[in-house]
Amino acid sequence: MRAIRRFTVRPLLPDALASLGELAANLRWSWHPPTQELFAAVDPDLWVSTGHDPTRLLGEVSAERWAELAADESYVARVAEVRADLSSYLEGERWYQRASAAEPDATWPEAIAYFSPEFGITAVLPQYSGGLGILAGDHLKAASDLGVPIVGVGLLYKHGYFKQALSHEGWQQESYPVLDPDGLPLSPLVEASGERATVSLRMPDGPDLLARIWVAAVGRVPLLLLDTDLEENPEHYRLITDRLYGGNTEHRLRQELLLGVGGVRALRVHSRITGAPTPEVFHTNEGHAGFLGVERIRELTVGEQGAGGADVVDFATALEIGRASTVFTTHTPVPAGIDRFPRTLVEQYLGDHGATPGVPVDQILALGAEDYDGGDPGVFNMAVMGFRLSQRANGVSQLHGHVSRGMFNGLWPAFDEAEVPITSITNGVHAPTWVAPEVLALAAAEGGDPEDDDAEAFWAAFAKVSGPDVWRTKRALRERLVVDARRRLRRSWEKRGAAPAELGWIDEALDPDVLTIGFARRVPSYKRLTLMLRDPARLKALLLHPERPIQLVVAGKSHPADDGGKRLIQELVRFADAEDVRHRIVFLPNYDIALALPLYPGCDVWLNNPLRPYEACGTSGMKAALNGGLNLSILDGWWDEWYDPEFGWPIPSADGLEDYSDKRDDLEAAALYDLIESEVAPRFYDLDHEGVPARWVEMLRHTWTTLGPKVLATRMVRDYVAQLYAPAVANARTLAATEHGARDLAAWKARVRAAWPQVRVEHVEAQGVEDAAEVGGTLGVHSYVALGELSPDDVQVQLVHGRVDAEDDIVDATTTPLTLVESYDGGRHRFDGQVELGRSGPFGYTVRVLPTNPLLVATAELGVVALA
């Protein structure tokens, strides 16, 4: 019998233990072992059966147990101690406060809004699907630890992402359990009147869409989540926040409008109710939230309070105000991963009859137009809009930055890839979440302080840990993974229809003394889940080697609409089902944070074999490294950037071959087998007199001490503050401090674009290279330039020079500004300069003219250039 309504009854705690409710309400418990231990002590078995969920735990404890704990003075004292620690964490100065106090003249944002369609904070708040969400969660956690004043903005999905199970034949099956917000670690944002706070969006096909605002406390960071499952909404509106990445194109557009437009409105409501500072910087985590920029333009063009400007401005001025304070991070190197909507659908949902009345719909459509060579004029591209609405953009590793500049070069066609204004900040991972407490304890025992602002000092302590201690800890973590994997494997087989009598073999599945290789990813084709199966006989030989066996723990979800990915999972599962190898290779369904937490520490090697260069970053290998794992990976993402022979092994990549060719897969799989057989396994099993693989352990120490500080989310967030957030707020404040600053900038850009067709390099004269140029000589240049209606102050004339290739293309170009020497009638000018010839070999040069303005942040920002 189906209930007509569901709700959660919250527990009534004894006064002496009331602080447990506060501790459960702040998600810091998810990365704070003392708080987790406090909840586990309430009822260890219940803590496990509730999935380490404090909210569920508190609701299922008997009154008798509460009375017993309330009478236990030592437990009550522990509760008070942990609550006091949380208060100190929330209220005390942290890195951001100390650093800003030490640099009073520096520019530090008062608040930063971080928008993402998913956030992976903890398994008990399942609002994530994969790497994008986990990265967003780690970003918020690291910001909290550092004291960076971020507020997160996302959606609350009624069903979250799907739960994965397997059929008898190994086919992925999805289920969508209902999540009750009242049973989650969330609080409703409430008006002074006691009513729940909401935002509304105009919809073209009916009444306004209403969404309520929930708040998750992620340490010091509030995370605002919008939910449309309200009785006041029509049924099809209530379903907008039903599932993460579900539904048809129109459904996705509605979700992204709610995230971007509704998210900005939720921020305004949150600041009004709580008194929190209005965000000065807006960070768009991938293009899904890009409509936030359109909403900010609407606020400014209608003069709405809280938008950062008191006066009503025109579209162009509002665009400059918004761009100056917006950061856009692109995460995908795969064009298919970018959201593209039909222009006609976007036109329907925006403009005067849609979510952003007052903003000219033709101007909005222009922001997402693929109006470049190879673009589709019929679509609206969310990533393209993201770039056009932000003055600063980045990829998530150095290689991904390079790939992104190539992908989006069409937006700046007059410039070489290297000058496309997309930088990179390499992702990091939140160590307190992902590193096993036993691993952190190794460094702490040697004097490492995890609270030290200097992360290198903490990770350097691993250099002092003895080999036997390292190996004993890794063996214990491997055993924990084996126990957890057997439990999950048994449950999976039971769901697949196996009888208990058939499953005795699971008690012997995996071995805590065998080299354990982990592989857990989403399952799109480019991540190549089944590359390891390319030669099944050779893989079996590695799994069953009599002296140096390996074992594989594999997990991953395929998108529900991706039958190709599901077939890859089925192929892997069928191989792992075979009686001769099923004790050495397992596929564990429903890859999520709860599965990942024992998986990373329990693995000795982390395998990653994507098609290069389609892995934007790949942070799972970072998590494994921090837990004393070595990487075995294609040189892609972060591994391409930071690979060192002491961190693991690079799998050779056959880049010259077609991406999805059999030959490429054959070559790279053979290289993988060779590495495991000849290098990885022999080193793991090469034990000294203490039973320790000394060379292996030395690699672990080097990984911890050298790689450890680099792959941290705290390093990543500091990079965002220094390289993107602080410069963005500096530009935004400069515009605000100058009368008509943004309006003048917009007018200047319009004037430059209108006049640019008349800008040209008419003639270039060179001196010093008439006969034979020699090292130490000087190249002098006179360049005659026509600027039309522009003045020399509007431009910079540059000598571009460097080594040339066989096609006379300048390689590793250097630019030298030329100086105005003379001006003539008709807007013509002469610019001179010189450069010393410092190296031998082929050398080339040219002259170009670029717009210049102190408020531009990149050479290519306007996208125009005049070349000789």
Side-chain angles (χ1 to χ4, degrees):
M1 188 178 300
R2 188 178 180 86
I4 63 169
R5 186 184 173 197
R6 63 177 289 160
F7 56 88
T8 298
V9 180
R10 294 186 179 266
L12 183 62
L13 298 171
D15 289 344
L17 302 177
S19 293
L20 286 173
E22 298 175 58
L23 293 169
N26 192 299
L27 293 173
R28 188 210 184 198
W29 64 258
S30 67
W31 71 89
H32 190 243
T35 310
Q36 296 170 14
E37 293 162 6
L38 193 67
F39 288 121
V42 171
D43 186 326
D45 294 335
L46 191 58
W47 177 242
V48 172
S49 66
T50 57
H52 297 176
D53 182 345
T55 303
R56 284 184 58 196
L57 174 81
L58 298 185
E60 297 185 19
V61 175
S62 67
E64 291 78 13
R65 178 56 177 161
W66 285 131
E68 184 180 340
L69 287 169
D72 183 341
E73 294 183 2
S74 65
Y75 186 77
V76 171
R78 284 177 63 193
V79 172
E81 181 182 351
V82 175
R83 178 63 184 87
D85 179 77
L86 177 62
S87 295
S88 175
Y89 174 87
L90 296 177
E91 299 164 9
E93 287 191 345
R94 305 196 70 79
W95 169 79
Y96 193 84
Q97 289 70 39
R98 292 190 290 267
S100 57
E103 300 180 51
D105 295 331
T107 305
W108 299 84
E110 289 190 16
I112 301 140
Y114 183 92
F115 285 67
S116 179
E118 52 176 303
F119 286 91
I121 310 293
T122 166
V124 307
L125 189 61
Q127 302 293 308
Y128 60 94
S129 71
L132 180 70
I134 298 298
L135 181 279
D138 282 9
H139 197 106
L140 297 195
K141 294 174 188 176
S144 175
D145 290 344
L146 293 169
V148 179
I150 280 180
V151 54
V153 183
L155 302 182
L156 180 66
Y157 304 96
K158 184 175 182 178
H159 301 284
Y161 202 49
F162 70 89
K163 286 187 175 292
Q164 178 196 49
L166 300 174
S167 71
H168 179 74
E169 294 79 20
W171 189 256
Q172 173 179 291
Q173 297 179 318
E174 301 94 23
S175 62
Y176 295 87
V178 176
L179 301 174
D180 177 8
D182 290 320
L184 298 174
L186 303 170
S187 300
L189 186 62
V190 179
E191 299 279 2
S193 64
E195 295 182 3
R196 291 193 170 190
T198 61
V199 297
S200 65
L201 278 75
R202 184 183 298 181
M203 291 282 108
D205 57 349
D208 287 358
L209 167 69
L210 293 178
R212 57 187 166 183
I213 307 167
W214 298 90
V215 183
V218 186
R220 299 165 69 112
V221 172
L223 169 58
L224 311 184
L225 299 173
L226 296 174
D227 164 30
T228 64
D229 188 21
L230 283 74
E231 293 181 359
E232 299 92 324
N233 279 329
E235 182 63 22
H236 63 293
Y237 285 7
R238 297 183 70 169
L239 295 176
I240 288 176
T241 52
D242 59 349
R243 299 175 182 178
L244 177 58
Y245 302 142
N248 60 20
T249 299
E250 186 171 11
H251 187 77
R252 288 288 296 277
L253 178 61
R254 286 173 167 175
Q255 286 188 336
E256 297 188 11
L257 281 168
L258 178 62
L259 174 59
V261 177
V264 172
R265 295 176 188 176
L267 282 169
R268 306 309 186 203
V269 174
H270 179 257
S271 291
R272 172 175 57 77
I273 291 175
T274 66
T278 299
E280 294 186 278
V281 175
F282 289 74
H283 185 172
T284 309
N285 191 38
E286 197 44 88
H288 310 286
F291 289 120
L292 75 87
V294 179
E295 170 62 8
R296 294 184 66 206
I297 289 173
R298 188 198 66 81
E299 291 180 325
L300 291 162
T301 54
V302 302
E304 196 157 300
Q305 292 297 315
D311 299 328
V312 174
V313 300
D314 59 30
F315 181 94
T317 302
L319 176 61
E320 294 305 328
I321 293 171
R323 288 186 76 252
S325 56
T326 300
V327 172
F328 174 59
T329 298
T330 177
H331 284 265
T332 178
V334 183
I338 295 169
D339 281 333
R340 301 161 84 224
F341 297 108
R343 282 172 59 89
T344 53
L345 189 64
V346 175
E347 186 175 15
Q348 177 186 348
Y349 272 88
L350 291 162
D352 287 338
H353 301 290
T356 54
V359 184
V361 72
D362 59 325
Q363 300 270 33
I364 298 173
L365 292 173
L367 291 170
E370 293 187 354
D371 51 359
Y372 44 79
D373 288 346
D376 183 344
V379 303
F380 184 93
N381 187 308
M382 294 296 288
V384 166
M385 179 176 67
F387 286 115
R388 287 175 172 154
L389 284 171
S390 59
Q391 197 172 29
R392 289 168 174 81
N394 69 287
V396 292
S397 69
Q398 287 187 7
L399 179 58
H400 179 232
H402 165 69
V403 171
S404 297
R405 288 189 289 274
M407 278 181 65
F408 297 103
N409 207 155
L411 294 173
W412 300 273
F415 292 86
D416 292 341
E417 176 262 308
E419 289 187 304
V420 169
I422 303 174
T423 184
S424 60
I425 291 180
T426 304
N427 285 343
V429 299
H430 185 243
T433 294
W434 300 109
V435 183
E438 294 88 343
V439 172
L440 296 175
L442 290 174
E446 298 297 337
D449 180 4
E451 289 291 315
D452 195 330
D453 280 350
D454 181 6
E456 292 186 7
F458 173 77
W459 293 95
F462 280 99
K464 306 173 191 174
V465 181
S466 73
D469 284 345
V470 169
W471 205 234
R472 194 162 37 246
T473 300
K474 282 300 296 182
R475 205 270 180 193
L477 296 172
R478 208 180 301 120
E479 185 170 31
R480 179 185 300 166
L481 170 60
V482 168
V483 171
D484 185 73
R486 288 173 181 170
R487 177 180 60 82
R488 292 175 182 274
L489 195 60
R490 182 177 299 277
R491 189 167 59 197
S492 175
W493 274 88
E494 289 171 348
K495 288 184 177 181
R496 294 174 67 187
E502 299 178 73
L503 302 180
W505 63 272
I506 291 179
D507 293 336
E508 304 300 323
L510 305 180
D511 184 331
D513 293 308
V514 167
L515 168 60
T516 303
I517 300 177
F519 182 101
R521 335 277 309 149
R522 287 186 305 110
V523 190
S525 57
Y526 73 89
K527 291 183 183 285
R528 297 193 296 183
L529 170 71
T530 56
L531 186 71
M532 64 184 75
L533 303 183
R534 199 72 190 166
D535 185 341
R538 191 155 183 203
L539 177 58
K540 280 188 178 183
L542 293 170
L543 294 168
L544 303 176
H545 194 285
E547 297 171 355
R548 298 189 298 273
I550 69 167
Q551 58 193 12
L552 279 158
V553 182
V554 185
K557 290 180 176 180
S558 175
H559 188 280
D562 183 6
D563 282 351
K566 293 179 184 180
R567 280 191 288 272
L568 296 178
I569 291 174
Q570 185 178 50
E571 183 182 352
L572 192 287
V573 170
R574 286 178 170 174
F575 179 89
D577 283 351
E579 290 188 16
D580 56 341
V581 296
R582 63 188 183 185
H583 64 300
R584 286 282 185 260
I585 178 171
V586 298
F587 180 88
L588 303 180
N590 204 40
Y591 180 42
D592 64 359
I593 291 175
L595 191 161
L597 288 175
L599 178 59
Y600 294 122
C603 289
D604 302 293
V605 172
W606 196 257
L607 174 63
N608 190 25
N609 46 234
L611 279 167
R612 188 180 189 274
Y614 296 136
E615 184 75 277
C617 185
T619 57
S620 59
M622 297 178 172
K623 301 179 185 98
L626 292 179
N627 278 289
L630 301 177
N631 276 267
L632 175 61
S633 176
I634 295 285
L635 286 171
D636 202 0
W638 76 272
W639 186 237
D640 177 78
E641 185 174 334
W642 286 328
Y643 161 72
D644 181 291
E646 294 298 302
F647 303 156
W649 297 267
I651 303 171
S653 178
D655 289 356
L657 299 176
E658 184 181 345
D659 284 348
Y660 294 97
S661 69
D662 287 342
K663 185 174 182 181
R664 178 168 183 169
D665 285 353
D666 287 341
L667 288 171
E668 295 182 7
L672 169 62
Y673 300 138
D674 288 344
L675 283 168
I676 295 173
E677 183 177 38
S678 63
E679 297 190 38
V680 181
R683 190 165 298 180
F684 179 87
Y685 288 105
D686 182 18
L687 307 181
D688 63 14
H689 66 282
E690 294 182 290
V692 174
R695 182 72 182 89
W696 187 281
V697 169
E698 194 54 43
M699 291 176 72
L700 299 188
R701 289 198 194 96
H702 189 75
T703 298
W704 275 318
T705 58
T706 307
L707 183 62
K710 294 180 180 179
V711 300
L712 300 178
T714 46
R715 184 274 311 155
M716 172 188 71
V717 172
R718 289 186 191 190
D719 285 350
Y720 273 101
V721 170
Q723 298 174 33
L724 297 176
Y725 296 160
V729 79
N731 259 32
R733 289 179 183 174
T734 298
L735 285 178
T738 306
E739 186 177 6
H740 307 311
R743 185 175 303 168
D744 290 347
L745 177 61
W748 177 83
K749 284 186 175 182
R751 180 169 61 83
V752 168
R753 289 192 176 107
W756 203 257
Q758 285 77 50
V759 176
R760 61 189 179 275
V761 180
E762 294 187 324
H763 180 60
V764 177
E765 296 177 357
Q767 296 177 333
V769 292
E770 291 83 359
D771 297 322
E774 296 180 345
V775 173
T778 299
L779 167 67
V781 170
H782 306 305
S783 179
Y784 297 87
V785 176
L787 296 180
E789 297 179 3
L790 299 181
S791 78
D793 291 337
D794 292 321
V795 302
Q796 182 177 86
V797 181
Q798 296 177 340
L799 177 67
V800 185
H801 53 92
R803 183 169 54 87
V804 293
D805 61 18
E807 284 75 38
D808 284 342
D809 289 327
I810 300 175
V811 183
D812 299 327
T814 300
T815 59
T816 300
L818 302 183
T819 303
L820 176 67
V821 174
E822 291 183 306
S823 294
Y824 314 103
D825 293 338
R828 297 175 63 249
H829 310 270
R830 174 182 149 194
F831 293 81
D832 288 1
Q834 61 183 32
V835 60
E836 183 177 336
L837 303 176
R839 55 175 294 174
S840 59
F843 179 89
Y845 69 91
T846 189
V847 172
R848 69 179 182 181
V849 186
L850 297 163
T852 186
N853 187 294
L855 292 170
L856 300 183
V857 300
T859 299
E861 187 168 329
L862 265 70
V864 295
V865 63
L867 295 169

